[in-house]
Amino acid sequence: MPLAYSLPTDLSPATVVNASSLLRIVALALISGAAIASRLFAVINFESVIHEFDPWFNYRATRVLASEGFYEFWNWFDPTAWYPLGRVVGGTIYPGLMATSGVIYSILHGLNLPVDIRNICVMLAPGFSALTAWSTYMFTKEMKDESAGLLAAAFIGIVPGYISRSVAGSYDNEAIAIFLLMFTFFLWIKALKTGSAFFGTLAALFYFYMVAAWGGYAFITNMIPLHAFTLILMGRFSSRLYVAYSSWYAIGTLASMQVPFVGFQPVRTSEHMAALGVFGLLQIIAFAELVRAHVSSKQFQRLLYASVIGMGILGGLAIVGLTYKGWIAPWTGRFYSLWDTGYAKKYIPIIASVSEHQPTAWPSFFMDLQLLIFVFPAGVILCFRELRDEHVFVIIYAVVASYFAGVMVRLMLTLTPCVCVCAAVAFSSVLDTYINPVEPDAVEEEAETAGDGAVSASSTAVSTSSGSATKKGKKAAPAAQPGPLGGLVSTVSAVVSTKKGEKSRGIFGGDTRLAVLLNALGMLLFFVLHCTYVTSSAYSSPSVVLASTNPDGSQHIIDDFREAYYWLRQNTPETAVVMSWWDYGYQIAGMADRPTLVDNNTWNNTHIATVGKAMSSSEEVAYPILRKHDVDYVLVIFGGLLGYSGDDINKFLWMVRIAQGVWPDEIQEPNYFTAKGEYKVDDGASNTMKNSLMYKMSYYRFAELFGGNQAVDRVRGQQMPKIGPTLDYLDEAFTSENWIVRIYQVKKEDPLGRDLRTANAFEQGKRRKRSKPVARRRAIV
Amino acid sequence: MLLPLLALLFAPLCLAASFQTDHAKLVQLAASSNGVIRLDEHSYKLLTNPKRTWSASVQFTALDKKRRCGPCKDFDPNWNAVAKAWSTVPAAERDNHFFGTVDFDHAMSIFQQLGLQSAPVVQVLPAVEGPRRPASGRSNPIALDFSGGFDAAPLAEQLSRHTPVPIPYKAPIDYSRIASGLFVLLSFVAALRFISPILKSRWTWAAITIITSLIMTSGFMFVRIRGMPYNGPNGQWIAGGYQTQFGQEVHVIAMIYGTLAGGFLMLTLVVPNQLSPSRQRMQIYLWTGVIFVMYSVLVSIFKEKNRGYPFRLLL
Amino acid sequence: MAPKTVSSPATTNSFQSLLRSYNETTLPRLKLIDAFLLFLMLSGIIQFVYCVLVTNFPFNAFLAGFGSCVGQFVLTASLRSQVNPANRAEFKEVSPERAFADFALGSIVLHFFVYNFLG
């Protein structure tokens, strides 16, 4: 059998193995470096700053942890959040992230490296992405071999779908959770393969870490039982499965209940019942198997099977019954909305209002995963081809995660690792096939039998027909050595071991190899370009600091948020309560250090609706609400001047909807639309809209800015009326450079006991017009 | 047919009659028509008596075929179902809240009077006087919003906030659906013997898996949840914009993904088995070409969606 | 279980033969493990019955106690299947010594959490 290109023949097998393992380590190190480096765009373009919203809370909590110690943190009651209710922080968070940075902080300080806690928080996500790459490598190694593992590690290192949640500064639970997810899955697969309780216990420990770190742990809680259940259905029950699953479940469940925020949920909510059910089923089956081993009677065995099925059904009914009786909580809204996709919009608008919870259109998939998204089905097929127990896992993962990612943009994150693994399997199969230098016998030459040919080929390939090398090659086949040369060894020997006696298969000629390999290489290069582009342009914005491009191409930094928050910090008393929409609660608490009414931990819908009501009703109605909640300042985000589309007027309808959910008599969404059902802010806006506090605060004195010209709202592209709204109960306190943040001070009650509108009118020297209704008065003014 | 006549007959009497008889009439009207009063100008006036002690919910609709109001037709049965559920409430509470329907073609003037431009609309008229007067003293109608869809259950839930007692609406058990489900299940069990080789074949499952994930990653759920149309007006099939898509895009994109994945599989699984060098060479070039061209097409479609995207292949 | 309730002579016979075959073919050390398993099971059942009939008041204490029984049970059962010579083929990478080390580690971790959870 001929070779397409010649190989060095004077290498000893030990050299090949050593070189390949060295190359592997170097490659992994480089991949880690690339993974970290590509996440640093945000730091380079802006600065080392915490991003977005939730990270600000995590950062604040970590600071408490680092300065006050773990016990203080654990019992931390935060009186400034959810004013006046306060928030028990220790019991309402997943502490894994803060604990991780806290540990790193104390280790570094123990080594006399005085690193600022902020820098640890900023760099945590990139650091863990390197670990994710490594755990993906380990996981994929179990699926195929080391070369596929390296590809998978490279993919996950730079794929935008994961970078989107783990750039430097994005200090959120997902930053460490994806590593934990992949590593738990790897340990599970390892436990299943070896049947060792050691790996089961490790899987349970990492599961515990995951539970402590991210609410998405429920994905593991359901994936592993689903895998086990599928294996049982496929008739692949084995003692290894029993050992792996039982040790994982028994320890993992008990461990997960140590996290205060999770509490007794693992035994009391439907999300966790699948795991319990499969656990019970496995015990029954294991017992039945044990009995079966001792009895040979056919009839008895049949009875045994019947009783197993009966017990399974009984157990299922018991769970259903307990759910019915209320002992087990039914699926929570968040989970339920994954199945019944209309559910969230109807019943939990607060979930539906978050942009991360919207369904995913295909461009998002392509943007986040690029070529992986279409190579991944090929990888799934290859998994079907082998279909060992661990391949079943990847297949289930692929189906489940692609459904979830379709329903919610946010869950793209769980799909990404699976896509990377499958795509790596497919890609490395292509590379294996086309790098392999062995050419099969053409159909014309039938003299030589294929089997002999293959053996002789392997001996030529590995070394100069030394018998030990061939043996080595054969031995390597199951364990599969990676790296350029190792991959060669493995593929060559794979040809030997799998295709003996069958038709030989392979590729003829060098040009064909070159064509396919060049094509693949080109695709990979394009992938790298794409990832770099997407990361730098789309995912590296801190959203606290904005950037725009000047006409000459240089970057202009828009720092309105921090400007405004520092204004609050410097110019207001420490107890001044700031009201804003919940999106900005964490930032205000983190950067301005002032009490807030509501924040991104949306645990109290009524409180949020109260803020929504205040924002969406008229000044007269809102004022008592503001006073009752001791609000001193009201903060709104307004993008009309700059064209910043994430502003409060665009979120306004959600405020209305959420308020309407609690006060359907007083707030009604249709009133905020024009008669034709359009959402307008210009002259044609409805009166309710024009009188709402939010509208007034956003457009107060906006028209003056244009000095008599037509004022234009750049976000909505609408022309504003010449005469803007007036405010009687609030005073403008601060407006940032680009008008993005506007802060209003709530006036105290009039000392003379007048209502503030009359007092204002009096001061402006106008006569009171008491008898006229509000709407008409506006028309005159 | 008879109801408007009846109302007309009563009309002069109504004007003269005392307030009590107004109420009695409404009760009678409601009772005679399954709980929903078919309102015309006159009975509408009766119902919206400015001194009413009762509340009412009124559906404004246009059911006539020539009006071509699809949502009206969808909504009407739900409305009637809820009203019917209300009519099962004991008389003491039931007679304090009425359900009415105003059809555009029977009472155009009411639509004009209220300035209604679209249908269906549901308004709730709170009681103005008497014990059921709302605490806020509000007497102008409250419009219901349909953001939760036209289904009967949310409607009943919303209306229950305004009725004296919650509307005892229960979604009717859909026997035909249960029966068809059972039938499918039974026929499945019956056929299990014959199709079990298919079910046990891994390639059946592979096909199911691949099709599912292809469809899901092409934005099928987006189209379903958002109710996107199959294609846009004037026949365009790519929705402009990165965050949106039409139904047809699901097909096209899934097909492209499928072809590309197929190309990879061909190159790895099928081509190496080809033992004639010339044929194999041709296949390799063919599939490499297919992958390259399809990939270019995909990138160019993506560029169409995301204008700022700087890369392109062939196209 | 269902087989025990069925009292046709055939099944009674097979039940007896099951016991006989168990007595004859099981290694003594497996029997020792089985005795421990039985003890754990009884202890778990007693706790469960107590919880259902009397009170589940310190629910975490109940969960910890019950969890320790169940967890120890499955870990021991795992050990049993790993050291069972009949399963040698399945556990190629787990020697009986390794199995015991796994068992010990798993138990330590389990009881660490149990202890922490008792409250």
Side-chain angles (χ1 to χ4, degrees), chain A residues 437-451:
Chain A
V438 180
E439 286 192 326
D441 312 305
V443 100
E444 291 83 18
E445 326 162 11
E446 283 175 16
E448 201 178 10
T449 62

Side-chain angles (χ1 to χ4, degrees), chain A residues 57-250:
Chain A
F57 169 76
N58 299 331
Y59 172 52
R60 187 160 157 253
T62 313
R63 258 189 340 210
V64 171
L65 174 66
S67 59
E68 321 235 329
F70 195 74
Y71 282 96
E72 281 300 308
F73 170 70
W74 201 246
N75 300 318
W76 182 26
F77 177 79
D78 181 7
T80 65
W82 294 90
Y83 185 87
L85 307 172
R87 175 183 175 193
V88 186
V89 178
T92 56
I93 51 160
Y94 293 102
L97 181 73
M98 297 101 192
T100 308
S101 351
V103 168
I104 295 176
Y105 180 77
S106 26
I107 289 177
L108 288 180
H109 278 245
L111 296 173
N112 290 323
L113 290 171
V115 181
D116 185 18
I117 185 75
R118 190 196 62 198
N119 288 326
I120 292 176
C121 294
V122 167
M123 293 307 296
L124 191 77
F128 266 83
S129 74
L131 288 177
T132 310
W134 172 69
S135 58
T136 309
Y137 164 76
M138 300 294 275
F139 183 83
T140 317
K141 205 174 78 177
E142 298 299 320
M143 294 301 142
K144 188 168 175 287
D145 52 22
E146 278 91 342
S147 41
L150 283 178
L151 261 179
F155 284 154
I156 196 132
I158 58 171
V159 71
Y162 176 41
I163 288 191
S164 64
R165 308 309 303 259
S166 65
V167 290
S170 158
Y171 180 56
D172 213 344
N173 294 337
E174 288 91 337
I176 61 171
I178 295 302
F179 160 65
L180 295 172
L181 183 82
M182 279 323 276
F183 202 66
T184 313
F185 283 158
F186 160 69
L187 289 170
W188 158 249
I189 292 297
K190 195 83 186 160
L192 181 64
K193 265 181 142 178
T194 56
S196 144
F198 170 69
F199 283 109
T201 310
L202 272 189
L205 281 177
F206 274 87
Y207 172 68
F208 166 63
Y209 192 2
M210 176 79 179
V211 174
W214 194 36
Y217 74 88
F219 185 61
I220 301 185
T221 321
N222 289 298
M223 261 311 288
I224 294 182
L226 191 60
H227 182 210
F229 188 63
T230 315
L231 287 180
I232 295 172
L233 282 188
M234 290 170 75
R236 292 193 177 189
F237 172 82
S238 64
S239 301
R240 282 175 288 121
L241 178 64
Y242 176 84
V243 172
Y245 190 84
S246 300
S247 53
W248 168 75
Y249 181 77

Side-chain angles (χ1 to χ4, degrees), chain C residues 1 15 24 32 34-35 38 50-51 69 80 93-94 112-113:
Chain C
M1 275 190 94
F15 190 64
E24 282 165 8
L32 182 70
D34 284 342
L38 195 67
Y50 176 83
C51 165
C69 283
R80 188 193 189 282
E93 297 181 28
V94 185
F112 169 75
F113 284 119

